[in-house]
Amino acid sequence: MSIHFSTLLVTLLIDLTQAATGFQHVTCGSVLKLAHIQTNVRLHSHEVRYGSGSGQQSVTGVTETGDANSYWVVKGTEDKPCKRGVPIKCGSVIRLNHLQTRLNLHSHLFQSPLSQNQEVSAFGENGVGDSGDNWVVQCDDDLWRRDESIHFKHKDTGKYLQATFNQFGRPISGQREIAAVASQGGETQWQAMEGIYLKPSDGS
């Protein structure tokens, strides 16, 4: 584990609740976990590759709320970066960068391994990937609120991020499949949960 990650992880674990007090919105640069409302799993990744499809790093859903591999950094796109600490507007195109491996949440036209929907993976190198890393934040207000359910629509393919009820076997036994589907519904609802939420003044 790198010194950078260890230091940041300690910071995250000191007092996540206190750090987020008074923050109503998800902001650029925030480090957070995302809960799938229907199944209550956290969006997760790790250095385990798919055995089929793209063979890229797998993305799954886990029930453990304390797993450090479930933290994601909210970023803008390569073409339109966002300013650190600024609230994310509904309709914005963002990237979710996996904190520990520094790969981006990604999708493409490969088939997902269990449900045969669209595969979701982690892709890139040190946060640099391609247009398959871009997701549209769909929410009801002007800004992405931490207490509301949202949808992530894949910019390239128009599919929605979901957690399925299918579970993997070894070496990631019990973890749920994450995929992308054609239409939004209860299975595509997510909510921001534990994390460090930055204020605009933090980036000034």
Side-chain angles (χ1 to χ4, degrees):
M1 184 180 293
S2 70
I3 295 175
H4 168 75
F5 176 71
S6 300
T7 303
L8 184 52
L9 181 58
V10 169
T11 302
L12 285 169
L13 296 178
I14 288 173
D15 195 338
L16 294 175
T17 302
Q18 181 179 357
T21 299
F23 293 73
Q24 295 181 335
H25 300 107
V26 175
T27 53
C28 179
S30 293
V31 182
L32 52 76
K33 293 184 180 181
L34 291 163
H36 183 248
I37 292 177
Q38 194 174 71
T39 61
N40 200 33
V41 295
R42 296 324 192 244
L43 188 68
H44 180 89
S45 193
H46 40 225
E47 293 182 358
V48 177
R49 292 182 174 272
Y50 287 122
S52 61
S54 68
Q56 293 174 3
Q57 182 169 298
S58 58
V59 173
T60 62
V62 297
T63 57
E64 295 84 357
T65 60
D67 195 316
N69 277 315
S70 300
Y71 283 113
W72 300 83
V73 184
V74 179
K75 295 186 173 184
T77 65
E78 291 183 10
D79 294 336
K80 192 176 181 180
C82 56
K83 185 177 180 182
R84 189 172 183 262
V86 172
I88 300 296
K89 294 180 179 180
C90 297
S92 294
V93 181
I94 66 164
R95 292 186 171 186
L96 293 169
N97 183 249
H98 188 241
L99 179 64
Q100 186 161 8
T101 63
R102 301 185 68 185
L103 304 186
N104 297 321
L105 185 71
H106 181 88
S107 193
H108 40 213
L109 297 178
F110 287 94
Q111 199 172 71
S112 62
L114 302 181
S115 64
Q116 284 74 58
N117 289 309
Q118 184 169 291
E119 183 187 273
V120 173
S121 63
F123 174 76
E125 185 174 351
N126 294 326
V128 178
D130 62 25
S131 63
D133 305 338
N134 297 338
W135 299 83
V136 181
V137 178
Q138 293 193 337
C139 41
D140 295 330
D141 296 319
D142 293 333
L143 302 173
W144 178 3
R145 293 179 57 91
R146 292 175 51 215
D147 60 359
E148 74 170 330
S149 64
I150 65 165
H151 303 273
F152 293 105
K153 184 177 183 179
H154 190 240
K155 179 69 173 174
D156 275 0
T157 64
K159 300 292 181 70
Y160 291 87
L161 185 70
Q162 72 155 182
T164 77
F165 286 94
N166 299 299
Q167 297 185 354
F168 288 99
R170 296 178 64 183
I172 49 176
S173 299
Q175 296 186 18
R176 292 190 186 272
E177 179 191 48
I178 301 297
V181 291
S183 59
Q184 63 171 257
E187 74 277 9
T188 64
Q189 290 182 314
W190 298 84
Q191 184 175 345
M193 300 298 286
E194 306 88 354
I196 295 293
Y197 295 86
L198 305 179
K199 296 187 296 183
S201 58
D202 291 338
S204 60

